[in-house]
Amino acid sequence: MFIVELTYPGTWLDYEDDEWSWEMRKLVQMLENPLTEACLALALFEQQRAKPRDKPDREQWEEDSNRRREIEKELEAELNVDPFDPEDRQELYSSVERELRLEKWESGELPKQYSHRLIFMHAKSFLFAVDRIEKILGAIAEKDGVPDEVVEAKDAFEDIFPDLRGVRNTVAHIEDRGRGLDHRKEDLDLKPVQNRLVNAPGGGALILESLNGNEFGSTMSDGHYGEVEISLENIVKVCECIQNVIDALEWSGPQMHYPR
């Protein structure tokens, strides 16, 4: 796991307005938690991405088949199954499958639907972490008296993730986007999409929570398909933006370092 670092030139901000200094220092240090979460989400995302895809395993298939037969024999007597009654046979089959699944889950094996969603969960954790960073940077840049370098750092961050807000809003309002509605709850005008997963040059494709390599994407409220790249390269750029904000301010006292 790659750990990013920040250096504070001092412990407190050195400005005449104490209230301004206190609020600014609080905002700057608020960036640490979402930066930490973005790093952790990236590590967990890459961990899931590196796992080999499930492939047919003959040994496991044979083991499951044998266990099915054992469970079937146990349940036939318990359920008093009529071997010539289709409904009885179907009930037996369903009971055997459920019993086998329960045994697997109790042994620690995740259901496929659970394991499949893990990488999406980490992708969304990354998305919301960097979204929080963007919002905090925006609040910092809006304060009166901030140096120009702070605004430049905020703008540089937005250049890293140009589709961040649109993708994040779709994830947060999946109930609307999933029905083909924009932020006004009007019908989406779906724009053309062409990538490795979708080829819709004429538009009309609604895409929700898609992973294209390390790009997490969704159709945004304006009908365009947007993506957010989940990568170490982007984490490094984010860290540089935050460090530039820190360095643009006047500090006093002993240096501080992140993480501790």
Side-chain angles (χ1 to χ4, degrees), residues 9-69:
T11 308
W12 57 86
L13 289 173
D14 190 9
Y15 293 89
E16 291 184 4
D17 188 332
D18 290 339
E19 184 178 350
W20 187 95
S21 298
W22 183 84
E23 289 181 356
M24 179 62 76
R25 181 177 180 273
K26 181 175 68 172
L27 280 170
V28 171
Q29 290 196 285
M30 279 174 60
L31 291 163
E32 292 182 3
N33 282 344
L35 178 59
T36 300
E37 290 163 9
C39 291
L40 290 170
L42 171 64
L44 293 169
F45 175 84
E46 291 293 355
Q47 186 180 83
Q48 286 297 316
R49 194 168 171 229
K51 286 186 175 181
R53 294 183 180 180
D54 291 338
K55 295 182 179 179
D57 185 331
R58 183 168 183 80
E59 183 177 340
Q60 184 63 55
W61 180 85
E62 290 178 350
E63 183 180 319
D64 289 347
S65 295
N66 291 334
R67 183 58 187 142
R68 280 189 182 93
R69 284 192 289 271

Side-chain angles (χ1 to χ4, degrees), residues 34 37-38 40-42 120-131:
E37 290 163 9
L40 290 170
L42 171 64
F120 290 90
M121 184 175 73
H122 300 319
K124 286 188 282 187
S125 294
F126 181 92
L127 175 77
F128 280 101
V130 294
D131 178 69

